[in-house]
Amino acid sequence: MSTPHPSPPSADGCPTGAPAWHAPFAPVRPVRTPEDVRALEATPLAEAIRPRSTYELIRNSAHAFGDKTALTFLPTAEPGAPAVRWSYADLLARVHQTANALHRLGLQPGDAVAMLLPGCLEYHLALWGGAAAGIVQPLNPLLSDEKLASLMNAAQARVLIAWGDEASESDTGLWAKAQRVRGLVPTLRTVLRVTPHGETAPPTLPAGCLDFHALIAAEPDDRLVSGRQIAPTDIAAYFHTGGTTGAPKLARHSHGAQVFTAWACVQLQGVRVDDVAINGYPLFHVAGVLPGSLTSLSAGAETVIPTPALFRNKAVIANYWKLVEAHKATVLTGVPTVLAALANVAVGDADLSSLRYGRTGAAPMPGELAARLKQLIGIQVHESLGMTEMAGISTITPPGMTSPPGCVGIRLPYTKWRIVALDEQGGASDRECAPGEAGMVLFKSPNLFSGFLDEADNQHAFTPDGWLATGDLGHIDDQERLHLSGRSKDLIIRSGHNIDPKVIEDALAAHPAVQLCAAVGAPDAYAGELPVVFATLIPGAVATEEELLTFVSERVDEPPARPKRVTILDTMPLTNVGKIYKPDLRKMAAAPKAAER
């Protein structure tokens, strides 16, 4: 691998015809309060954020940091085991080669390149090189063949980059899955096989399939041969939403939206050059790609990829605190279900003094879990709000801010928010809520997505005057902090009474034996729905369903919201990114009623 060597520079020090180099992102000032956010807004947005694309962010950091480690891949979860490290110079060179190979295959800026990969270094080449050449489409490897084909057909994907292992714990046979799916996607021209780590004898590839590494190795590593000038409004990615059910909904992200997310995260989290984050989020999900990876890469920080299976690798969870010590991690991130698992792992003699900031999102974090983590590791894990429709981040609780459970922080710079009452269908009305009154959260922001690929999916995504209707319920307090109380679609409707499941969940989560819990509505002929709650127990803890029902009922003030039953589960159904999957719980809740028929 050669070090990037730019073509002859112009007077501003950049390759001829290329956009200007700019300094990597860095905190302008410490952000602790909404007043600090307003101080950032004193600078016009166009002056505050100069880079126009994710490619420029990678290039800026490579220009500034060169040999500094950008990405560290851990082949195993053993602390101290050999790791594979790429510098910022290495990353940029390989991004150039990947973009150039895709361009040579005929990929145009409006064409989609899909990816079916586990956690690996090559994922970053597919993401950033793919976005420099066309539009990237990260795919959830655990989806069925039919779902994957449906998503790729919606995007009219031209190239698929797939992991080459036949079967392993990390990918469940992604290469075989890629071969099956390719026959279901008429627009697909080429499949690129990524060689698994440690493979010594690559197989003979079928027609239409090429070796990813061999292909990019033949390309120039110092420039984009296409000469493409990427505009902030150009689409960088299609991210699929909606979990594992329903018709495919592809959210379009512009380069400008993704760049803004990285900049805003750097400002509100105070990301530093010496930060190290273990990123166990899957890279088909916005949390791992944008607030996770691109934020660090834009600021010169280091990202650690903990094995191909990431947080699904039980050994990663079991060794996590030792991995923090070994890599001197400064940032702790994970969804609440992952954090709940980590809270059950003894710290032992692991040195966690490097940790300075913790952040979670994707689902509410019980206050009891936050307290356990703070006692365990000595830092507060702050809540944030992120969504695909806002390029991965909407609000952040910055370091040093004290916030109660359910508070997801303050708004991003240059972002507007509103709280409106729900209409009769549970959507956003045009009535503004009073201060402190709960309603649906609406946003306008520079990182707002460019709408869904299918125009029909945009019908309920925006209000008539252009605000994003998030579906999240909450209120803004007198300190300009957003507090979430749940999702409009998760409300339990009992005889016309709207019951917030979080009230029940917070009450039950306070029980010392409860690890995870979730409340849903069970169908009832008279009331419509009755609240029920499901729970898993901390390993080794003992509690009965009757005991938990009494406990939660005593702590829920409103009689209609007191659950009718508590069911203890061995495992909680989760999505592939670690959120509690309530559709499965609703099926379980309905099962006793169905059995009566």
Side-chain angles (χ1 to χ4, degrees):
M1 171 59 59
S2 61
T3 300
H5 42 281
S7 54
S10 60
D12 62 6
C14 300
T16 304
W21 270 311
H22 300 288
F25 288 157
V28 174
R29 55 180 295 148
V31 174
R32 298 291 181 270
T33 66
E35 287 73 22
D36 296 325
V37 170
R38 283 189 280 274
L40 288 173
E41 293 170 329
T43 301
L45 178 60
E47 295 180 18
I49 304 178
R50 298 287 190 178
R52 297 162 57 85
S53 67
T54 60
Y55 165 70
E56 285 189 47
L57 294 188
I58 305 295
R59 194 196 57 186
N60 292 344
S61 291
H63 183 65
F65 300 114
D67 292 335
K68 183 180 183 300
T69 299
L71 299 170
T72 296
F73 174 73
L74 308 182
T76 76
E78 288 300 315
V84 182
R85 292 181 171 84
W86 283 2
S87 70
Y88 275 92
D90 292 335
L91 176 61
L92 177 62
R94 290 177 165 99
V95 165
H96 279 145
Q97 290 180 311
T98 302
N100 292 339
L102 292 170
H103 175 70
R104 200 173 301 278
L105 288 173
L107 197 78
Q108 298 299 308
D111 293 338
V113 51
M115 49 206 68
L116 203 57
L117 298 166
C120 58
L121 290 164
E122 291 83 0
Y123 216 133
H124 287 273
L125 303 186
L127 285 169
W128 316 121
I135 300 171
V136 299
Q137 185 186 23
L139 295 168
N140 181 345
L142 299 181
L143 294 178
S144 67
D145 295 358
E146 293 73 21
K147 172 63 74 173
L148 290 170
S150 179
L151 290 165
M152 292 173 66
N153 281 322
Q156 298 186 351
R158 301 303 180 94
V159 177
L160 173 63
I161 302 176
W163 192 243
D165 206 1
E166 287 300 327
S168 75
E169 179 186 357
S170 66
D171 61 50
T172 62
L174 290 190
W175 185 243
K177 180 173 280 192
Q179 296 307 303
R180 295 193 303 269
V181 168
R182 65 183 295 214
L184 305 176
V185 183
T187 58
L188 196 60
R189 299 171 179 169
T190 310
V191 178
L192 302 181
R193 180 182 185 270
V194 176
T195 304
H197 304 281
E199 182 179 81
T200 56
T204 301
L205 299 182
C209 299
L210 300 172
D211 183 290
F212 174 81
H213 297 91
L215 189 71
I216 70 170
E219 297 294 335
D221 65 3
D222 61 343
R223 67 193 183 280
L224 295 179
V225 296
S226 67
R228 183 184 179 193
Q229 302 294 306
I230 304 171
T233 53
D234 286 351
I235 301 302
Y238 297 145
F239 279 93
H240 58 82
T241 64
T244 58
T245 63
K249 290 173 64 176
L250 293 175
R252 300 178 299 161
H253 283 184
S254 69
H255 278 270
Q258 294 192 343
V259 167
F260 178 83
T261 285
W263 179 86
C265 287
V266 168
Q267 302 310 317
L268 267 72
Q269 294 175 189
V271 179
R272 307 188 305 225
V273 173
D274 59 351
D275 273 332
V276 179
I278 300 174
N279 186 356
Y281 287 102
L283 290 180
F284 60 81
H285 192 267
V286 286
V289 176
L290 300 174
S293 299
L294 188 63
T295 293
S296 293
L297 293 174
S298 73
E302 179 183 348
T303 299
V304 178
I305 305 168
T307 80
L310 305 167
F311 281 147
R312 290 192 295 113
N313 185 340
K314 294 180 180 179
V316 169
I317 300 297
N319 294 330
Y320 188 83
W321 304 123
K322 285 294 186 181
L323 292 174
V324 168
E325 176 184 38
H327 297 277
K328 295 182 171 56
T330 61
V331 179
L332 168 67
T333 63
V335 297
T337 52
V338 167
L339 296 180
L342 292 177
N344 295 326
V345 177
V347 171
D349 60 355
D351 180 3
L352 306 185
S353 59
S354 60
L355 286 175
R356 68 170 189 86
Y357 181 68
R359 184 176 63 80
T360 188
M365 180 171 66
E368 181 274 337
L369 175 58
R372 286 172 57 204
L373 283 168
K374 187 171 184 178
Q375 183 176 17
L376 184 69
I377 62 178
I379 65 169
Q380 180 74 39
V381 178
H382 296 286
E383 293 186 71
S384 62
L385 173 62
M387 59 189 73
T388 305
E389 292 86 349
M390 286 182 70
I393 201 70
S394 308
T395 66
I396 293 174
T397 306
M401 173 178 277
T402 301
S403 58
C407 176
V408 294
I410 56 180
R411 67 176 179 87
L412 309 180
Y414 312 103
T415 293
K416 298 177 182 179
W417 58 11
R418 296 167 56 203
I419 308 293
V420 300
L422 299 182
D423 61 22
E424 294 180 355
Q425 289 74 43
S429 75
D430 56 3
R431 181 179 75 80
E432 203 87 17
C433 288
E437 179 186 358
M440 186 182 292
V441 185
L442 309 183
F443 282 104
K444 283 186 177 180
S445 174
N447 64 345
L448 195 62
F449 78 138
S450 302
F452 292 109
L453 186 60
D454 186 343
E455 185 58 37
D457 292 327
N458 293 316
Q459 182 178 358
H460 301 294
F462 300 96
T463 64
D465 53 350
W467 290 78
L468 176 68
T470 66
D472 289 303
L473 303 178
H475 73 276
I476 300 169
D477 67 17
D478 57 4
Q479 298 180 52
E480 300 180 53
R481 303 176 302 182
L482 179 62
H483 299 253
L484 293 185
S485 55
R487 297 277 296 167
S488 60
K489 67 180 181 181
D490 290 336
L491 287 176
I492 301 167
I493 313 299
R494 180 178 184 177
S495 299
H497 185 89
N498 289 353
I499 299 170
D500 181 355
K502 191 172 184 297
V503 172
I504 303 169
E505 293 159 359
D506 286 348
L508 185 55
H511 193 286
V514 171
Q515 173 154 301
L516 298 174
C517 63
V520 298
D524 181 78
Y526 175 75
E529 289 184 317
L530 294 174
V532 299
V533 60
F534 296 85
T536 59
L537 303 183
I538 292 172
V542 177
T544 66
E545 293 177 345
E546 292 75 16
E547 173 189 346
L548 296 181
L549 182 61
T550 300
F551 181 90
V552 67
S553 296
E554 290 174 348
R555 286 159 178 78
V556 173
D557 293 332
E558 290 186 279
R562 292 169 186 160
K564 288 298 181 181
R565 65 176 184 268
V566 174
T567 302
I568 296 175
L569 303 175
D570 292 332
T571 58
M572 188 70 72
L574 303 175
T575 70
N576 294 319
V577 296
K579 296 182 184 180
I580 294 176
Y581 191 54
K582 286 195 172 182
D584 276 359
L585 296 181
R586 293 190 187 99
K587 292 178 183 177
M588 295 181 200
K593 184 63 63 176
E596 296 174 4
R597 296 172 184 167

